[in-house]
């Protein structure tokens, strides 16, 4: 690396250390840009794919109130995807490129959305566990070093907190209901618990991106630190539901002041992120179909924008001539 490049790197790291936000037009190492494009676009894809498992239950919500809540939540997720795609675009990648990466399988999205939603209780479990995990991961991202990502996350987190509360309240109702409802609630918790723990990513010593992401303050906490916070939070909250977590090894450790938990099935995680989870193919097919079906909308919007631009430029030429 020549001296100027070294100086730029040093200045960049100093700015990060001083907690100054990096903005799109600032100098940044190419690897920082690529890491952010990867993480933000994958985060955006997760929001959009994440609409599918819950969207599956909108027509079958048990009451008007529950339907309205679920509709609002799924719409929020579409909004989160859009803020995040916009933040990624400021780094010089187009939205079409990001979609292409998703459709071709090059870009990942969160492993959690490759599991099926089998009962209404899954809507509660997703809200409580999946959004609960998402909040723990995303609140620190409000202070991430890249300005547009940090600002997008502020609004996302406000909405996520409502998502988690509605999920917990949904399960609370079921947990106080009939025996069948209680069983449905426990079954959903059993199925979503371990995949929720996998959302935080591989163990720290097997996380190739963490070192640089922590140095650049893209990530503020490691995967294992956040996972532990999540276990500690949920192990307490579940007591209010009078349900149990499907982990016989879950125990309070008086020395560490944290809950110990059992072994995560990392082979399952690997399979899911390699495309072999229960719903990977179905999820990707649904997105590709939506892209193809939306072709005419994109075409119409492009033609309309070109027409508007032409009219504007003609009007400007006309008024310029008038004033001469
Ligand atoms: N699933 O080096 P690592 C939501 C990949 S949306 C799939 O630790 P990093 C919600 C990782 O990408 C939730 N892949 O990576 C929406 C990397 O592969 P590549 C989404 C995973 O980036 C609707 C490789 O494994 N949240 O909340 O330092 C309804 C090695 O990992 C996963 C975000 O995206 C996974 N779980 O750390 C309800 C938050 N974990 O890319 C809820 C933003 C890891 O090198 N993202 N991989 O090929 C992050 O905070 C970080 O990207 C992660 C991973 C902590 C997820």
């Amino acid at each position: 690396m020549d001296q100027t490049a070294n100086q730029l790197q040093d200045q960049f790291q100093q700015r990060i250390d001083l907690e100054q936000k990096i903005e799109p037009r600032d100098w940044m190492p190419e690897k920082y840009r690529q890491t952010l494009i990867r993480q933000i676009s994958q985060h955006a894809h997760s929001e959009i794919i994440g609409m599918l498992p819950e969207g599956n239950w909108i027509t079958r919500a048990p009451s008007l109130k529950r339907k309205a809540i679920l509709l609002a939540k799924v719409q929020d997720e579409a909004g989160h995807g859009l803020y995040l795609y916009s933040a990624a675009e400021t780094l010089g990648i187009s939205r079409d490129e990001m979609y292409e990466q998703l459709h071709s399988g090059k870009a990942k999205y969160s492993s959690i959305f490759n599991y099926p939603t089998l009962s209404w209780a899954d809507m509660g479990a997703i809200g409580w566990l999946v959004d609960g995990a998402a909040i723990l991961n995303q609140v620190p991202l409000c202070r991430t070093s890249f300005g547009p990502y940090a600002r997008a996350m502020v609004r996302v987190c406000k909405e996520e907190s409502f998502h988690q509360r509605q999920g917990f309240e949904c399960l609370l109702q079921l947990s106080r209901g009939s025996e069948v409802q209680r069983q449905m609630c426990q079954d959903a918790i059993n199925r979503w618990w371990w995949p929720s723990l996998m959302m935080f990513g591989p163990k720290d010593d097997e996380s190739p991106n963490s070192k640089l992401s922590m140095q650049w303050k893209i990530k503020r906490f490691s995967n294992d630190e956040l996972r532990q916070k999540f276990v500690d939070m949920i192990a307490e909250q579940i007591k209010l539901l009078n349900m149990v977590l499907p982990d016989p090894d879950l125990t309070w450790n008086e020395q560490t002041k944290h809950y110990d938990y059992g072994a995560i099935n990392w082979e399952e995680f690997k399979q899911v992120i390699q495309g072999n989870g229960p719903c990977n193919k179905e999820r990707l097919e649904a997105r590709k179909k939506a892209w193809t079906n939306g072709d005419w909308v994109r075409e119409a919007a492009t033609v309309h924008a070109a027409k508007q631009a032409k009219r504007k430029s003609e009007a400007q030429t006309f008024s310029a001539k008038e004033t001469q």
Side-chain angles (χ1 to χ4, degrees), residues 119 130 159 250 252-253 312 321:
S119 80
V130 176
E159 292 174 352
L250 187 82
W252 174 250
N253 183 328
K312 197 172 163 198
K321 277 190 188 150

Side-chain angles (χ1 to χ4, degrees), residues 38-53 85 101-115 198-199 269 271-287:
R38 178 186 64 79
Q39 177 167 326
I40 304 174
S41 66
Q42 294 188 163
H43 192 167
H45 299 324
S46 305
E47 296 284 355
I48 300 299
I49 300 247
M51 296 165 73
L52 296 169
Y85 283 128
Q101 291 178 352
L102 172 68
H103 298 159
S104 68
K106 183 171 173 243
K108 294 189 171 73
Y109 58 88
S110 185
S111 49
I112 193 78
F113 302 118
N114 292 304
Y115 291 85
M198 295 174 195
M199 283 177 74
F269 174 71
Q271 287 301 323
V272 174
I273 65 172
Q274 280 172 358
N276 305 319
C279 299
N280 292 60
K281 289 187 182 62
E282 186 184 327
R283 300 288 185 246
L284 220 48
E285 279 312 310
R287 287 311 311 158

Side-chain angles (χ1 to χ4, degrees), residues 117-288:
T117 42
L118 304 179
S119 80
W120 170 255
D122 288 18
M123 297 304 98
I126 290 183
W128 178 45
L129 296 175
V130 176
D131 288 87
I135 293 176
L136 283 178
N137 167 280
Q138 292 174 9
V139 166
L141 287 174
C142 297
R143 292 187 298 118
T144 196
S145 56
F146 184 56
Y149 192 20
R151 291 189 285 273
M153 291 317 298
V154 172
R155 183 150 169 198
V156 170
C157 283
K158 285 189 177 145
E159 292 174 352
E160 294 288 20
S161 118
F162 149 74
H163 294 175
Q164 195 201 12
R165 275 153 185 260
Q166 68 78 37
F168 185 78
E169 197 266 339
C170 172
L171 289 188
L172 191 63
Q173 292 280 322
L174 289 174
S175 74
R176 291 173 176 169
S178 66
E179 191 44 36
V180 173
Q181 286 171 320
R182 287 185 51 75
Q183 279 171 10
M184 207 162 83
C185 179
Q186 183 62 59
D187 170 63
I189 294 169
N190 291 349
R191 283 181 293 104
W192 289 94
W193 172 245
W194 292 106
S196 299
L197 291 186
M198 295 174 195
M199 283 177 74
F200 296 94
K203 285 185 287 187
D204 291 351
D205 52 9
E206 286 170 25
S207 160
N209 299 299
S210 277
K211 189 171 175 286
L212 271 180
S213 289
M214 298 282 279
Q215 180 189 322
W216 285 330
K217 298 191 180 175
I218 294 173
K219 282 164 90 162
R220 298 267 175 174
F221 295 97
S222 77
N223 298 359
D224 286 332
E225 281 171 332
L226 291 173
R227 191 168 11 249
Q228 184 65 58
K229 274 183 197 235
F230 178 69
V231 172
D232 292 346
M233 176 177 89
I234 298 296
E236 286 300 315
Q237 291 180 352
I238 196 155
K239 293 177 187 167
L240 300 168
L241 293 178
N242 244 333
M243 297 277 142
V244 284
L245 289 172
D247 180 357
D249 294 328
L250 187 82
T251 37
W252 174 250
N253 183 328
E254 196 46 47
Q255 270 169 353
T256 61
K257 303 279 180 216
H258 290 292
Y259 277 90
D260 290 337
Y261 54 94
I264 294 173
N265 183 348
W266 291 114
E267 181 51 32
E268 176 182 323
F269 174 71
K270 213 159 79 187
Q271 287 301 323
V272 174
I273 65 172
Q274 280 172 358
N276 305 319
C279 299
N280 292 60
K281 289 187 182 62
E282 186 184 327
R283 300 288 185 246
L284 220 48
E285 279 312 310
R287 287 311 311 158
K288 285 196 237 173

